[in-house]
Amino acid sequence: MTNLAVHSRHILAKGGITDVTDFLLMTPHDISRKCRISLFEAQKAFSDVCDQLSRPLHYLGQFVPGHESIITTGDSELDCAVGGGIRTGMIWEVVGESASGKSQLALQLSLLVQLPTALGGVLGSSCYLTSSSTLSTERLDQLLHAHPLLSLSLCDLKNVHTISTSSPELLFHVLSTILPQFISDTSRN
């Protein structure tokens, strides 16, 4: 946070916030309360830090070597409906009513991606971004034991990574900086 304006650094230090990681894991409301500043000032400081840390967004193809692959959804009818499965190298948006299975699909995909290509996977790992809750490892474990395509010999919870993004600014930072680095690091392994 050394590039932050002196005034902003002083205000944040007054609240005991000197590390960027601690800062980004707080909400502007928490920063406001801890530093005894207005919510507007806290939101401005949060935006300023995120702007300083942000890099331009890149296409996933710039980080993932090779060609486009397809991952099974674990359901043959859904695979058929989306053209054979979920294509890699692009962003998919899944929308639906509450309790329609969006989270279930995301959890399932975070395991199915680990399958060998012959079974519809890519021998990969996943990074599950959460916005308002924690990753349901209990549900992942249930899926791992119950889904007919999954088994402990093919999939492991250690290949499912998670990052909590509690605000739009933090989500932008994760998508523009942390996730590309994660993809780059994991594609080398």
Side-chain angles (χ1 to χ4, degrees):
M1 296 198 323
T2 55
N3 294 337
L4 198 60
V6 174
H7 175 69
S8 296
R9 276 198 320 249
H10 175 71
I11 289 172
L12 296 173
K14 186 172 72 173
I17 304 169
T18 57
D19 181 72
V20 72
T21 304
D22 292 337
F23 179 78
L24 289 173
L25 293 175
M26 298 175 74
T27 65
H29 187 267
D30 294 335
I31 295 166
S32 168
R33 192 174 57 246
K34 189 166 186 170
C35 297
R36 299 174 197 243
I37 59 176
S38 72
L39 182 57
F40 176 79
E41 289 174 297
Q43 289 169 328
K44 173 90 171 87
F46 198 90
S47 292
D48 289 346
V49 169
C50 288
D51 287 345
Q52 287 180 8
L53 295 173
S54 296
R55 296 184 300 185
L57 292 177
H58 302 281
Y59 292 103
L60 291 177
Q62 294 175 303
F63 300 101
V64 182
H67 60 283
E68 183 182 284
S69 300
I70 297 178
I71 304 164
T72 182
T73 63
D75 180 283
S76 60
E77 290 184 31
L78 184 54
D79 282 348
C80 184
V82 295
I86 302 293
R87 286 181 168 55
T88 62
M90 62 180 62
I91 295 176
W92 287 74
E93 181 177 13
V94 179
V95 296
E97 292 186 26
S98 179
S100 62
K102 301 177 303 289
S103 295
Q104 172 76 12
L105 177 62
L107 291 170
Q108 197 164 294
L109 289 171
S110 67
L111 293 169
L112 292 166
V113 70
Q114 299 176 45
L115 294 175
T117 54
L119 295 176
V122 292
L123 287 173
S125 62
S126 61
C127 186
Y128 194 99
L129 303 181
T130 61
S131 59
S132 60
S133 62
T134 58
L135 181 65
S136 177
T137 53
E138 181 181 317
R139 185 68 190 121
L140 277 171
D141 194 49
Q142 290 171 349
L143 278 167
L144 190 56
H145 288 87
H147 196 284
L149 288 175
L150 301 172
S151 72
L152 291 172
S153 64
L154 298 173
C155 303
D156 195 325
L157 295 185
K158 72 179 180 185
N159 292 317
V160 180
H161 308 273
T162 185
I163 300 173
S164 177
T165 58
S166 57
S167 69
E169 294 87 357
L170 183 55
L171 176 61
F172 181 78
H173 175 68
V174 166
L175 291 174
S176 64
T177 305
I178 295 172
L179 193 57
Q181 186 62 51
F182 169 80
I183 292 169
S184 178
D185 292 347
T186 55
S187 67
R188 283 185 243 154
N189 295 337

